[in-house]
């Protein structure tokens, strides 16, 4: 999960470079991601063990694709187009909080003090990092918009639902099988709404450098990352999985500071990074439902063996 979020952190400035230097729009970028990733997953499946997926699970994978990819990426892209990048970045910090609440209700995962403190520390660190990096003057920065903010929040809710509701389904199949079907469904859902823009793209006007950046987003930030996420979902609790999203602003800020020279990495950013990783560590160390039940069972057995 750490590797996936490091790649996603690099994706933000790389994608910004694509949008600033070419005719590739956010909708086209989503198209490239889902269609070419689907092709890569199907090619990979030819070299892996074939798994039979019953119709019932294929239907569940369709809904997993809706919440985990279509609604998450589509709504966030639309919302980002309506509101400011700062607002959108701040909203993404709500994912672990939403995931913790949904997991507590649906999976009966305990909301421990250590988990709450970890989520709080991580959110504070991410907010400090984002706000300290938003040094764009108000004259050329896009203003926030309430409807754009609401759409971005909806995208984060959908991803939190995906992490919690489909954990059992994801544990039954290999990442390649899961992703080839999820991205196939996603392509079917998205292409009808973006075909006109895709057909109007002047392919010859896009430079080789931009295509290289697009390739990184498709191969690294989509194909490779989405192969890693199901592995993490099998072995980690949903709240722990979601906590790693706080790594993204750290990586993006460091990349911009080192490669573009647009940011200064001062004491405030250092404190923010420390808070983020402390929060992630606390949540990973918090007890799961199974651990608490095992502890309670052991305590009861100990009391039974030692009656007063």
């Amino acid at each position: 999960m750490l590797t996936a979020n490091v790649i996603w952190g690099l994706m933000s400035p790389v994608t910004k470079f694509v949008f600033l230097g070419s005719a590739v729009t956010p909708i086209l970028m989503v198209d490239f991601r889902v269609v070419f990733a689907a092709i890569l997953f199907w090619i990979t499946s030819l070299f892996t063990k074939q798994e039979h997926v019953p119709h019932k699970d294929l239907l569940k994978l369709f809904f997993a694709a809706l919440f985990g990819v279509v609604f998450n990426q589509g709504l966030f892209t639309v919302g980002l187009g309506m509101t400011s990048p700062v607002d959108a970045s701040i909203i993404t910090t709500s994912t672990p909080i939403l995931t913790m609440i949904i997991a507590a209700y649906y999976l009966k995962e305990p909301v421990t003090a250590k988990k709450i403190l970890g989520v709080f520390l991580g959110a504070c660190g991410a907010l400090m990092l984002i706000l300290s990096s938003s040094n764009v003057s108000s004259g050329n920065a896009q203003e926030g918009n309430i409807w754009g903010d609401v759409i971005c929040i909806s995208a984060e809710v959908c991803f939190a639902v995906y992490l919690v509701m489909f954990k059992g389904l994801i544990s039954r199949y290999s990442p390649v099988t899961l992703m080839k079907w999820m991205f196939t469904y996603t392509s079917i859902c998205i292409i009808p709404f973006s075909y006109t823009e895709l057909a109007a793209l002047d392919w010859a006007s896009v430079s080789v450098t931009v295509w290289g950046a697009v390739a990184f987003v498709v191969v690294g930030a989509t194909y490779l990352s989405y192969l890693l996420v199901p592995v993490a979902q099998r072995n980690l609790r949903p709240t722990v999985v979601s906590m790693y999203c706080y790594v993204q602003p750290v990586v993006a800020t460091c990349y911009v500071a080192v490669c573009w020279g647009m940011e200064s990495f001062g004491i405030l950013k250092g404190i923010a990074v420390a808070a983020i990783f402390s929060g992630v560590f606390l949540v990973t160390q918090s007890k799961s439902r199974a651990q608490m039940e095992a502890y309670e069972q052991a305590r009861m057995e100990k009391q039974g063996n030692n009656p007063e």
Side-chain angles (χ1 to χ4, degrees):
M1 204 61 206
L2 177 62
T3 303
N5 278 277
V6 167
I7 297 173
W8 285 334
L10 292 172
M11 181 186 71
S12 298
V14 170
T15 303
K16 184 176 181 179
F17 164 77
V18 172
F19 294 158
L20 292 176
S22 71
V24 178
T25 64
I27 295 298
L28 288 176
M29 180 60 84
V30 173
D31 282 347
F32 293 150
R33 290 186 71 184
V34 300
V35 174
F36 286 107
I39 293 171
L40 289 174
F41 285 126
W42 276 98
I43 293 174
T44 305
S45 71
L46 299 176
F47 301 95
T48 59
K49 181 180 178 181
Q50 299 299 307
E51 294 180 294
H52 173 69
V53 183
H55 294 297
K56 180 178 67 174
D57 284 351
L58 285 175
L59 181 61
K60 292 180 180 178
L61 283 173
F62 171 74
F63 286 105
L66 287 182
F67 283 98
V69 186
V70 178
F71 292 155
N72 176 243
Q73 290 191 17
L75 288 176
F76 189 80
T77 301
V78 172
L80 182 59
M82 297 172 64
T83 191
S84 70
V86 174
D87 282 11
S89 298
I90 291 172
I91 288 169
T92 60
T93 64
S94 66
T95 304
I97 301 170
L98 295 167
T99 305
M100 182 174 64
I101 294 171
I102 296 172
Y105 176 78
Y106 184 74
L107 299 178
K108 309 303 181 188
E109 280 290 336
V111 180
T112 62
K114 187 179 290 187
K115 187 181 292 184
I116 293 173
L117 179 60
V119 171
F120 176 75
L121 271 177
C124 288
L127 288 173
M128 288 169 60
L129 196 61
I130 292 165
L131 294 175
S132 65
S133 299
S134 59
N135 51 13
V136 184
S137 64
S138 59
N140 57 12
Q142 184 182 352
E143 294 295 329
N145 177 278
I146 183 62
W147 292 112
D149 292 347
V150 169
I151 292 173
C152 287
I153 291 173
S154 300
E156 301 310 313
V157 171
C158 290
F159 192 64
V161 169
Y162 164 72
L163 291 177
V164 176
M165 302 287 285
F166 298 98
K167 180 176 173 61
L169 174 68
I170 288 167
S171 65
R172 291 202 291 271
Y173 302 102
S174 71
V176 174
T177 299
L178 292 168
M179 292 301 122
K180 77 176 183 181
W181 285 111
M182 286 181 59
F183 275 86
T184 298
Y185 287 139
T186 302
S187 301
I188 293 171
C189 291
I190 288 179
I191 290 299
F193 297 98
S194 57
Y195 172 76
T196 303
E197 194 166 340
L198 189 63
L201 174 65
D202 183 6
W203 297 81
S205 68
V206 182
S207 68
V208 175
T209 306
V210 170
W211 281 126
V214 171
F216 168 78
V217 173
V218 171
V219 178
T222 309
Y223 171 74
L224 178 58
S225 294
Y226 276 90
L227 279 179
L228 296 174
V229 171
V231 179
Q233 286 180 277
R234 289 182 182 183
N235 296 281
L236 301 174
R237 286 164 284 147
T239 306
V240 176
V241 171
S242 66
M243 279 295 294
Y244 282 92
C245 77
Y246 291 146
V247 174
Q248 294 180 39
V250 176
V251 174
T253 301
C254 293
Y255 176 84
V256 171
V258 173
C259 297
W260 290 5
M262 293 174 61
E263 298 280 355
S264 60
F265 202 92
I267 296 177
L268 182 61
K269 286 186 172 64
I271 295 172
V273 171
I276 288 171
F277 284 103
S278 297
V280 173
F281 176 77
L282 282 174
V283 173
T284 59
Q285 296 302 306
S286 63
K287 286 184 170 60
S288 66
R289 176 187 173 186
Q291 288 173 322
M292 294 191 74
E293 288 177 349
Y295 172 79
E296 186 65 23
Q297 180 67 25
R299 189 180 67 83
M300 295 289 290
E301 290 177 354
K302 185 176 180 181
Q303 287 180 347
N305 292 333
N306 299 281
E308 294 185 2

